[in-house]
Amino acid sequence: MLIEMTIKGLMVDPITNMPIVILKDKDGDRVLPIWVGIFEANAIAVQIENVEARRPMTHDLLRNVITDLDGRVDRVVVSDLKDNTFYAVIHLTVHGARVAIDARPSDAIALALRTRSPILVDEDVIVN
């Protein structure tokens, strides 16, 4: 089952000094921390804080390409967790055809924020 989640915030792991994106479900009962890279965390933080870049950042460019090709992001799904690595899929509709693209969760989340698309997580990922 897929669970819709939102970003609760960003924090830094005090042990590894790596950024963590904290997702929470709409009811606030479940939380999922996802460790991400510094640049990916910055891309997410910039969008959360509504900072306007003078030039398009990578995720802005991706959003613009999808839109200019008459596509839309339907949802992103954090789909799996294997060997401490999270996996995600970006679900698009382009010219009426559905397309699923493998992605890092951080990139999928950054794109979802820019397109106001739902962020879903497979329940098995939260249980692991």
Side-chain angles (χ1 to χ4, degrees), residues 41-99:
N42 182 58
I44 292 168
V46 163
Q47 190 62 33
I48 290 172
E49 296 171 8
N50 292 317
V51 175
E52 283 288 325
R54 291 183 12 202
R55 300 291 299 145
M57 294 179 63
T58 304
H59 300 95
D60 300 315
L61 174 64
L62 182 56
R63 176 202 56 215
N64 295 346
V65 168
I66 292 167
T67 302
D68 289 351
L69 293 174
D70 294 324
R72 74 171 184 271
V73 178
D74 298 317
R75 66 189 183 282
V76 302
V77 179
V78 179
S79 57
D80 207 353
L81 173 61
K82 294 179 188 171
D83 300 322
N84 292 322
T85 300
F86 288 94
Y87 294 82
V89 178
I90 299 169
H91 293 268
L92 307 169
T93 300
V94 181
H95 295 290
R98 293 182 183 229
V99 181

Side-chain angles (χ1 to χ4, degrees), residues 1 3 8 15 20 28 30 35 39 44-46 48 57 63 67 71-73 79 82 85 109 115 125 127:
M1 181 168 85
I3 299 162
K8 181 176 181 180
I15 296 170
I20 305 170
R30 297 185 248 194
W35 279 254
F39 298 113
I44 292 168
V46 163
I48 290 172
M57 294 179 63
R63 176 202 56 215
T67 302
R72 74 171 184 271
V73 178
S79 57
K82 294 179 188 171
T85 300
I109 291 167
T115 59
V125 173
V127 173

